[in-house]
Amino acid sequence: MTTNLAVNKEQSGINNTQNTGRIFEVSKHDSSCRARTGVLRLGHGDIQTPVFMPVGTNGSVKAITINDLKEIGFNIILANTYHLYLRPGEEVIEKAGSLHKFMNWDRNILTDSGGFQVFSLSALRKITYEGAKFQSHIDGSRHFLTPEKAVEIQVLLGSDIQMQLDYCSHHGASRKEAEKALDITAQWLTRAKKTWEDSTSKGYNGKLFSIVQGNFFPDLRKKSAEICIEADTPGIAIGGLSVGEPSELFHETIAATAALLPEEKPRYAMGIGTPEYVLSAIEHGIDMFDCVIHTREARNGRVYTREGALSLKKTENRLDFSPIDKECGCKVCKEYSRAYLRHLFKTKEILYSMLASYHNLYFINDLVTNARCAIEQNRFIDFKREFLSRYANGGNHEG
């Protein structure tokens, strides 16, 4: 169907703040590194940064209710354009009034354009300068996603932040492939921005973020960053990371790329969530990040503690009636033991996924909240060192 870019502002719940201009203010810089705190002003409320965004791919964070998300303290979540476009489809969201109304979430939503999902369908897609042709992973039906279409769908969703359609090349790609992906992403950005600007003139208040690509070639990263800066979108994301590269290369690339980006715009590192990667991103001045790892690992029996990751399914937890983490303030750690949670996991009780996912999301939100406090106190590097030393040396909790 063709998306109507005219947005009913009352129906979508989006306020009438200025569509263009600065949406981000830096509050505090840490003097020992590039870490910073700030305020991101969006249509459904202000966001304190740095901020972690839980991933609700299909309009739902797996095993977590919206009340749980609010209770933990999240004011922004991520949903995925590709998945929502395929199911339930544009017509359902349009009839509901917006994704916010459809899922009963009155806070901010960032939507990925679907570029990464198309990238992951290597055998089912073909990418050209016109757009991405792909087959649905659900029923094999054929679709064509253009940068214009990606914007239009996200307008219909009512996204507070929407991402441009981009072409992500895999780790190990040749320079020629990386150059082509960068060039396509740049051309798609020009087209996405024009469609987004047209939509804002019709009442849409969501903000478009451009995406830096370039694979792991420093000069291509620099070129892509310059293209994004020239486009002057409200925010800039760093894409193409955490795609199988060695950790040393990740840290090197995120540091170099973040240093290229303008001070006054929010910086978003896409798809990172481990404590090590999150703290590295914050150290280099990244403001936003997301990942599915916390709920995915929770469902598979792995939870986070200050002493490192813990495998609840191990036999040693069968008679352990202590909480997941004695220092954690979440309701799961206050009310349930490792032994009970292991029992729920072994018996495949749905309650297990709900409780473990809640704890893991609480853990990462608490880590980022404490990182913000450390920056405000001008001691982020010490905080990072202390946390990772304990986290890494907490013993062998894998398995």
Side-chain angles (χ1 to χ4, degrees):
M1 64 181 284
T2 301
T3 304
N4 181 5
L5 295 183
V7 177
N8 183 325
K9 288 174 281 186
E10 180 180 356
Q11 184 184 49
S12 69
I14 298 173
N15 66 26
N16 290 315
T17 58
Q18 185 67 29
N19 281 326
T20 57
R22 291 180 59 174
I23 61 169
F24 181 70
E25 296 177 11
V26 177
S27 303
K28 165 74 176 179
H29 282 100
D30 191 294
S31 62
S32 61
C33 62
R34 301 187 70 236
R36 62 190 194 170
T37 61
V39 180
L40 183 60
R41 305 195 186 282
L42 299 173
H44 284 85
D46 291 352
I47 307 293
Q48 301 296 316
T49 64
V51 62
F52 176 81
M53 302 177 289
V55 177
T57 299
N58 293 301
S60 169
V61 178
K62 289 191 188 315
I64 296 289
T65 68
I66 58 169
N67 288 332
D68 282 341
L69 292 170
K70 291 179 178 180
E71 185 175 89
I72 293 171
F74 292 113
N75 291 313
I76 182 169
I77 62 173
L78 183 145
N80 186 266
T81 300
Y82 165 85
H83 288 279
L84 293 169
Y85 163 71
L86 292 178
R87 190 169 52 189
E90 298 167 82
E91 182 181 9
V92 175
I93 304 296
E94 186 174 38
K95 292 288 186 183
S98 68
L99 180 58
H100 297 81
K101 289 185 176 294
F102 186 54
M103 62 181 293
N104 195 30
W105 174 254
D106 60 3
R107 300 185 183 184
N108 293 291
I109 297 175
L110 180 151
T111 49
D112 192 356
S113 66
F116 185 80
Q117 284 66 39
V118 172
F119 154 76
S120 67
L121 295 170
S122 56
L124 301 173
R125 51 85 169 164
K126 180 179 179 181
I127 297 176
T128 67
Y129 284 92
E130 291 183 18
K133 297 178 181 178
F134 65 93
Q135 284 183 262
S136 166
H137 70 287
I138 300 170
D139 59 10
S141 57
R142 297 181 182 277
H143 302 269
F144 184 51
L145 186 62
T146 65
E148 293 88 355
K149 180 68 173 177
V151 170
E152 291 171 356
I153 297 171
Q154 292 176 92
V155 169
L156 184 147
L157 295 174
S159 309
D160 297 281
I161 295 175
Q162 63 163 275
M163 308 304 299
Q164 71 152 117
L165 186 64
D166 64 322
Y167 182 175
C168 177
S169 56
H170 60 88
H171 172 244
S174 68
R175 182 179 180 88
K176 182 177 180 181
E177 181 181 348
E179 287 175 336
K180 180 180 179 182
L182 189 159
D183 192 35
I184 288 176
T185 298
Q187 292 196 32
W188 284 357
L189 172 57
T190 299
R191 292 160 57 189
K193 185 184 177 188
K194 182 180 185 306
T195 306
W196 170 69
E197 288 174 337
D198 289 344
S199 71
T200 62
S201 70
K202 297 178 174 70
Y204 173 62
N205 191 52
K207 310 304 178 185
L208 176 70
F209 278 29
S210 55
I211 302 176
V212 177
Q213 289 293 347
N215 203 271
F216 297 95
F217 299 94
D219 61 320
L220 297 186
R221 284 272 169 185
K222 183 174 185 294
K223 178 180 178 181
S224 185
E226 290 170 350
I227 290 168
C228 291
I229 293 168
E230 177 66 23
D232 197 28
T233 54
I236 301 177
I238 301 174
L241 293 180
S242 197
V243 290
E245 74 276 8
S247 60
E248 297 82 4
L249 185 56
F250 165 84
H251 295 299
E252 176 186 322
T253 305
I254 199 166
T257 308
L260 299 170
L261 303 182
E263 174 74 13
E264 71 276 7
K265 292 185 185 291
R267 306 163 183 155
Y268 166 30
M270 305 176 74
I272 65 169
T274 65
E276 298 91 338
Y277 278 19
V278 164
L279 292 176
S280 178
I282 293 174
E283 178 182 353
H284 297 297
I286 299 299
D287 308 298
M288 308 161 64
F289 20 82
D290 75 280
C291 198
V292 299
I293 192 172
H294 310 94
T295 51
R296 177 182 291 167
E297 292 200 330
R299 297 192 303 275
N300 290 316
R302 193 167 187 257
V303 290
Y304 290 85
T305 81
R306 286 161 178 76
E307 304 293 339
L310 168 74
S311 178
L312 278 173
K313 55 192 173 186
K314 293 179 74 171
T315 304
E316 65 190 44
N317 295 306
R318 189 172 71 89
L319 295 175
D320 189 341
F321 298 98
S322 63
I324 295 173
D325 186 336
K326 294 177 182 178
E327 297 176 36
C328 180
C330 82
K331 64 183 181 183
V332 178
C333 288
K334 290 178 180 178
E335 299 174 5
Y336 301 100
S337 69
R338 295 182 179 187
Y340 180 65
L341 291 167
R342 178 182 183 274
H343 162 70
L344 294 180
F345 178 82
K346 289 292 186 178
T347 53
K348 297 180 170 35
E349 290 289 341
I350 295 172
L351 179 60
Y352 165 76
S353 292
M354 298 171 65
L355 296 177
S357 297
Y358 185 103
H359 167 79
N360 277 0
L361 287 177
Y362 186 100
F363 178 92
I364 191 64
N365 186 65
D366 188 57
L367 174 62
V368 174
T369 299
N370 288 333
R372 286 202 302 266
C373 291
I375 296 168
E376 294 291 340
Q377 296 167 3
N378 216 43
R379 59 175 305 273
F380 176 77
I381 291 298
D382 288 340
F383 168 79
K384 177 190 172 189
R385 184 185 305 114
E386 292 163 5
F387 177 89
L388 290 181
S389 175
R390 184 178 178 188
Y391 185 81
N393 297 317
N396 182 17
H397 296 281
E398 306 292 336

